[in-house]
Amino acid sequence: MFRLVKIENGRINQPEPRKLGVTASETYTLGEALVLSGGALTKCGATEKPAFIAGEDYSAPATDARKITVYPVQAGMVFETPVTAVPTALTPGSVVTLSSDGLGVTATTASGVATVYDLAGATAAGDTLLVTFR
């Protein structure tokens, strides 16, 4: 889960929520990284920069889905998120990929999109660290 920790140089530390349409039959999880595809929200790929973070859990039906709350990802946002592998080779400034579930990051630096802001004491898979999207 991507949890906003702070917005650097922001006058307020709360992003403006939006309501956007969803993809039919897709399940969304609070804190999940999302992008728009064909005008609807969908899970962010491992090497895609997320455009939004899900603001709620929701299982979209096949028809008549409602819009969900999301938060736009903007420059200066710092997120706390779990790392799915041992982060021993990572340092602040490493750029890593997103996990396959869109709820964290990996320790893979090839084609990365999330910049490690601070390891925050992370030493094992499942520990949390701080990342930004630039």
mmCIF file of all heavy atoms in Angstrom, residues 18-37:
data_model
loop_
_atom_site.group_PDB
_atom_site.id
_atom_site.type_symbol
_atom_site.label_atom_id
_atom_site.label_comp_id
_atom_site.label_asym_id
_atom_site.label_seq_id
_atom_site.Cartn_x
_atom_site.Cartn_y
_atom_site.Cartn_z
ATOM 1 N N ARG A 18 -10.208 12.949 -6.077
ATOM 2 C CA ARG A 18 -11.029 12.977 -7.294
ATOM 3 C C ARG A 18 -11.856 11.703 -7.334
ATOM 4 O O ARG A 18 -11.499 10.707 -6.711
ATOM 5 C CB ARG A 18 -10.148 13.028 -8.544
ATOM 6 C CG ARG A 18 -9.383 14.317 -8.687
ATOM 7 C CD ARG A 18 -8.515 14.343 -9.923
ATOM 8 N NE ARG A 18 -9.301 14.205 -11.143
ATOM 9 C CZ ARG A 18 -8.767 14.084 -12.359
ATOM 10 N NH1 ARG A 18 -7.458 14.092 -12.506
ATOM 11 N NH2 ARG A 18 -9.525 13.960 -13.427
ATOM 12 N N LYS A 19 -12.937 11.728 -8.080
ATOM 13 C CA LYS A 19 -13.758 10.535 -8.326
ATOM 14 C C LYS A 19 -13.612 10.200 -9.801
ATOM 15 O O LYS A 19 -13.884 11.036 -10.665
ATOM 16 C CB LYS A 19 -15.234 10.797 -8.006
ATOM 17 C CG LYS A 19 -15.530 11.002 -6.538
ATOM 18 C CD LYS A 19 -15.723 9.679 -5.871
ATOM 19 C CE LYS A 19 -16.339 9.888 -4.485
ATOM 20 N NZ LYS A 19 -16.535 8.636 -3.811
ATOM 21 N N LEU A 20 -13.155 8.982 -10.093
ATOM 22 C CA LEU A 20 -12.959 8.572 -11.475
ATOM 23 C C LEU A 20 -13.590 7.201 -11.723
ATOM 24 O O LEU A 20 -13.746 6.393 -10.794
ATOM 25 C CB LEU A 20 -11.467 8.517 -11.820
ATOM 26 C CG LEU A 20 -10.735 9.864 -11.816
ATOM 27 C CD1 LEU A 20 -9.247 9.651 -12.047
ATOM 28 C CD2 LEU A 20 -11.301 10.789 -12.880
ATOM 29 N N GLY A 21 -13.899 6.949 -12.994
ATOM 30 C CA GLY A 21 -14.511 5.689 -13.393
ATOM 31 C C GLY A 21 -13.534 4.524 -13.320
ATOM 32 O O GLY A 21 -12.317 4.704 -13.406
ATOM 33 N N VAL A 22 -14.090 3.335 -13.169
ATOM 34 C CA VAL A 22 -13.292 2.128 -12.986
ATOM 35 C C VAL A 22 -13.449 1.174 -14.165
ATOM 36 O O VAL A 22 -14.342 1.322 -14.995
ATOM 37 C CB VAL A 22 -13.686 1.405 -11.680
ATOM 38 C CG1 VAL A 22 -13.402 2.284 -10.472
ATOM 39 C CG2 VAL A 22 -15.153 0.984 -11.711
ATOM 40 N N THR A 23 -12.578 0.187 -14.208
ATOM 41 C CA THR A 23 -12.650 -0.869 -15.202
ATOM 42 C C THR A 23 -13.601 -1.948 -14.696
ATOM 43 O O THR A 23 -13.514 -2.362 -13.533
ATOM 44 C CB THR A 23 -11.244 -1.469 -15.443
ATOM 45 O OG1 THR A 23 -10.380 -0.423 -15.902
ATOM 46 C CG2 THR A 23 -11.273 -2.590 -16.453
ATOM 47 N N ALA A 24 -14.493 -2.407 -15.547
ATOM 48 C CA ALA A 24 -15.470 -3.432 -15.166
ATOM 49 C C ALA A 24 -14.784 -4.676 -14.616
ATOM 50 O O ALA A 24 -13.741 -5.106 -15.124
ATOM 51 C CB ALA A 24 -16.325 -3.804 -16.370
ATOM 52 N N SER A 25 -15.342 -5.205 -13.545
ATOM 53 C CA SER A 25 -14.894 -6.459 -12.918
ATOM 54 C C SER A 25 -13.483 -6.401 -12.329
ATOM 55 O O SER A 25 -12.873 -7.436 -12.093
ATOM 56 C CB SER A 25 -14.994 -7.633 -13.899
ATOM 57 O OG SER A 25 -16.319 -7.754 -14.385
ATOM 58 N N GLU A 26 -12.948 -5.219 -12.080
ATOM 59 C CA GLU A 26 -11.620 -5.087 -11.461
ATOM 60 C C GLU A 26 -11.780 -4.768 -9.982
ATOM 61 O O GLU A 26 -12.693 -4.054 -9.589
ATOM 62 C CB GLU A 26 -10.798 -3.998 -12.156
ATOM 63 C CG GLU A 26 -9.347 -3.984 -11.692
ATOM 64 C CD GLU A 26 -8.425 -3.176 -12.591
ATOM 65 O OE1 GLU A 26 -8.671 -3.102 -13.804
ATOM 66 O OE2 GLU A 26 -7.454 -2.617 -12.060
ATOM 67 N N THR A 27 -10.870 -5.297 -9.166
ATOM 68 C CA THR A 27 -10.885 -5.041 -7.724
ATOM 69 C C THR A 27 -9.806 -4.015 -7.396
ATOM 70 O O THR A 27 -8.675 -4.121 -7.880
ATOM 71 C CB THR A 27 -10.628 -6.342 -6.946
ATOM 72 O OG1 THR A 27 -11.674 -7.266 -7.264
ATOM 73 C CG2 THR A 27 -10.612 -6.097 -5.446
ATOM 74 N N TYR A 28 -10.167 -3.037 -6.581
ATOM 75 C CA TYR A 28 -9.268 -1.958 -6.191
ATOM 76 C C TYR A 28 -9.021 -2.033 -4.686
ATOM 77 O O TYR A 28 -9.924 -2.360 -3.920
ATOM 78 C CB TYR A 28 -9.878 -0.600 -6.557
ATOM 79 C CG TYR A 28 -10.115 -0.478 -8.043
ATOM 80 C CD1 TYR A 28 -11.293 -0.942 -8.623
ATOM 81 C CD2 TYR A 28 -9.148 0.057 -8.867
ATOM 82 C CE1 TYR A 28 -11.495 -0.869 -9.995
ATOM 83 C CE2 TYR A 28 -9.341 0.140 -10.240
ATOM 84 C CZ TYR A 28 -10.514 -0.329 -10.794
ATOM 85 O OH TYR A 28 -10.703 -0.264 -12.148
ATOM 86 N N THR A 29 -7.799 -1.723 -4.282
ATOM 87 C CA THR A 29 -7.407 -1.781 -2.878
ATOM 88 C C THR A 29 -6.887 -0.417 -2.436
ATOM 89 O O THR A 29 -6.116 0.211 -3.174
ATOM 90 C CB THR A 29 -6.300 -2.840 -2.681
ATOM 91 O OG1 THR A 29 -6.784 -4.100 -3.164
ATOM 92 C CG2 THR A 29 -5.915 -2.978 -1.223
ATOM 93 N N LEU A 30 -7.296 0.013 -1.259
ATOM 94 C CA LEU A 30 -6.802 1.269 -0.694
ATOM 95 C C LEU A 30 -5.284 1.309 -0.780
ATOM 96 O O LEU A 30 -4.604 0.372 -0.366
ATOM 97 C CB LEU A 30 -7.248 1.384 0.771
ATOM 98 C CG LEU A 30 -6.720 2.575 1.550
ATOM 99 C CD1 LEU A 30 -7.324 3.866 1.011
ATOM 100 C CD2 LEU A 30 -7.030 2.417 3.024
ATOM 101 N N GLY A 31 -4.740 2.395 -1.351
ATOM 102 C CA GLY A 31 -3.294 2.559 -1.451
ATOM 103 C C GLY A 31 -2.678 1.948 -2.694
ATOM 104 O O GLY A 31 -1.465 1.986 -2.862
ATOM 105 N N GLU A 32 -3.481 1.421 -3.589
ATOM 106 C CA GLU A 32 -2.987 0.787 -4.813
ATOM 107 C C GLU A 32 -2.601 1.840 -5.852
ATOM 108 O O GLU A 32 -3.301 2.830 -6.034
ATOM 109 C CB GLU A 32 -4.081 -0.116 -5.377
ATOM 110 C CG GLU A 32 -3.715 -0.856 -6.628
ATOM 111 C CD GLU A 32 -4.845 -1.757 -7.108
ATOM 112 O OE1 GLU A 32 -5.984 -1.666 -6.612
ATOM 113 O OE2 GLU A 32 -4.576 -2.556 -8.009
ATOM 114 N N ALA A 33 -1.512 1.590 -6.580
ATOM 115 C CA ALA A 33 -1.060 2.473 -7.655
ATOM 116 C C ALA A 33 -1.918 2.222 -8.891
ATOM 117 O O ALA A 33 -2.102 1.076 -9.302
ATOM 118 C CB ALA A 33 0.409 2.205 -7.962
ATOM 119 N N LEU A 34 -2.437 3.317 -9.489
ATOM 120 C CA LEU A 34 -3.362 3.209 -10.616
ATOM 121 C C LEU A 34 -2.971 4.143 -11.761
ATOM 122 O O LEU A 34 -2.309 5.159 -11.543
ATOM 123 C CB LEU A 34 -4.787 3.570 -10.163
ATOM 124 C CG LEU A 34 -5.369 2.779 -9.007
ATOM 125 C CD1 LEU A 34 -6.676 3.406 -8.535
ATOM 126 C CD2 LEU A 34 -5.581 1.329 -9.404
ATOM 127 N N VAL A 35 -3.438 3.794 -12.959
ATOM 128 C CA VAL A 35 -3.323 4.646 -14.144
ATOM 129 C C VAL A 35 -4.674 4.642 -14.851
ATOM 130 O O VAL A 35 -5.531 3.807 -14.567
ATOM 131 C CB VAL A 35 -2.226 4.153 -15.125
ATOM 132 C CG1 VAL A 35 -0.848 4.313 -14.529
ATOM 133 C CG2 VAL A 35 -2.475 2.738 -15.565
ATOM 134 N N LEU A 36 -4.845 5.590 -15.761
ATOM 135 C CA LEU A 36 -6.036 5.604 -16.609
ATOM 136 C C LEU A 36 -5.715 4.872 -17.903
ATOM 137 O O LEU A 36 -4.673 5.094 -18.510
ATOM 138 C CB LEU A 36 -6.461 7.037 -16.930
ATOM 139 C CG LEU A 36 -7.202 7.785 -15.836
ATOM 140 C CD1 LEU A 36 -7.416 9.234 -16.247
ATOM 141 C CD2 LEU A 36 -8.534 7.123 -15.528
ATOM 142 N N SER A 37 -6.633 4.016 -18.323
ATOM 143 C CA SER A 37 -6.498 3.301 -19.588
ATOM 144 C C SER A 37 -7.863 3.282 -20.246
ATOM 145 O O SER A 37 -8.823 2.755 -19.663
ATOM 146 C CB SER A 37 -6.002 1.872 -19.345
ATOM 147 O OG SER A 37 -5.906 1.175 -20.570
#
